[in-house]
Amino acid sequence: MPTLNALVTHRIDTAPGLMTLRVAPVGWALPAFRPGQFAVLGLPASAPRSVEAEPEDPPMPSETFLRRAYSIASSSREREYLEFYLVEVQSGALTPRLFALKPGDKLWLGPKFTGLFTLDEVPPDRHVAFIGTGTGLAPYMSMLRTHLERDGSRRLAVLHGARHSWDLGYRDELVQMQRLAPHFTYLPVLSRPEAELVPWTGATGRLPAYWADGALARAWGFRPSPADTHIFLCGNPGMLEAMQQQLEAEGFREHTRQAPGEIHLEKYW
Ligand SMILES: Cc1cc2nc3c(=O)[nH]c(=O)nc-3n(C[C@H](O)[C@H](O)[C@H](O)COP(=O)(O)OP(=O)(O)OC[C@H]3O[C@@H](n4cnc5c(N)ncnc54)[C@H](O)[C@@H]3O)c2cc1C
């Protein structure tokens, strides 16, 4: 069983079942990482589950050690802790245990951070649209927190889809970024606006329809094309598939090392 080598330094519950969690290594230094990469968090099956979680039936064998990948949301310039943006899957194995953690509690943090979902292969003169559902915003927060102020020569945009306004994590920070950085656009879109307590005057619907409707083209004043823009897609596999189809019809191509393109994908499940 791996040693629990990290601890929770900070936890913010942004909405029911959604939190940001900061994790610091104990007795070792965080290695460098590229914004957009992910780490692995782990806990033993013997760790308690949150009170909201569904009971595990049958109980998981106590010798099981649970590990899952999580995109890093903090800046790569932050050397003391990593921040994660997490949703609780109430029937899940690891997240109910992560949602039972409080500051000071220990967990396992894999010592290597990896992933190709970064800006490294995007030419510096291309605009970038970051499109994500739910916690698929996490890698974009790391990229923006690291690059926004230095990246003033191209346009950057976040299109974030969530059910409710209270599920729009990092909204205040993204609104603030938009105020301070004229080259950055924040476009939140809600899929269940009828449940809002205060009427929602922003965009509604699903991200692929929102894109097809020209939301970003209106905000930028020109229609993004494969010649000038790279697109990042992260989160729910249904959204990724629908967006990829939509973008391919517009001439964008998936990026791979062997065949460079303009669509970068990170599928969470
Ligand atoms: C590269 C990578 C990065 C990831 N980064 C994040 C992250 O930053 N934040 C995060 O919350 N999750 C992230 N995930 C998902 C994470 O690894 C786990 O799959 C998730 O936390 C569920 O784990 P679990 O053990 O509780 O559920 P499991 O028992 O493993 O059940 C898995 C099921 O949970 C559901 N599920 C998984 N992830 C999500 C999600 N994010 N939102 C809604 N439903 C989900 C799906 O139905 C999936 O089939 C990432 C996955 C990958 C591959």
Side-chain angles (χ1 to χ4, degrees), residues 198-255:
V198 175
W200 172 257
T201 54
T204 59
R206 302 266 170 195
L207 284 166
Y210 186 49
W211 174 273
D213 179 45
L216 187 57
R218 276 194 299 282
W220 277 359
F222 62 92
R223 186 151 196 104
S225 80
D228 54 35
T229 303
H230 276 230
I231 315 277
F232 283 66
L233 302 176
C234 183
N236 177 326
M239 182 281 282
L240 262 67
E241 215 173 285
M243 271 308 310
Q244 193 173 353
Q245 257 182 26
Q246 166 80 36
L247 290 166
E248 285 180 355
E250 296 175 28
F252 291 89
R253 291 288 165 262
E254 183 175 347
H255 176 82

Side-chain angles (χ1 to χ4, degrees), residues 18 36-39 49 60 66-73 84-99 114 133-139 234-237 266-269:
L18 266 181
Q37 289 191 312
F38 63 88
R49 290 167 69 82
M60 194 161 288
L66 300 160
R67 301 164 214 246
R68 299 283 184 271
Y70 293 99
S71 302
I72 301 168
F84 299 97
Y85 180 38
L86 306 175
V87 64
E88 181 171 20
V89 178
Q90 290 181 348
S91 59
L94 181 61
T95 50
R97 291 172 169 87
L98 293 174
F99 273 76
T114 50
T133 50
T135 54
L137 187 60
C234 183
N236 177 326
E266 187 82 291
K267 212 183 269 188
Y268 273 4
W269 70 94

Side-chain angles (χ1 to χ4, degrees), residues 25-26 30 43-44 49 56 62 66 80 83 95 104-105 108 110 120 145 151 155 188 197 204 211 220 225 261-262 266:
V26 176
L30 289 176
L43 280 172
R49 290 167 69 82
E56 234 161 19
S62 59
L66 300 160
E80 284 178 13
E83 184 174 292
T95 50
D105 286 347
W108 183 77
D120 291 0
R145 286 166 159 181
D151 221 349
R155 286 173 189 265
L197 304 175
T204 59
W211 174 273
W220 277 359
S225 80
E262 309 81 21
E266 187 82 291

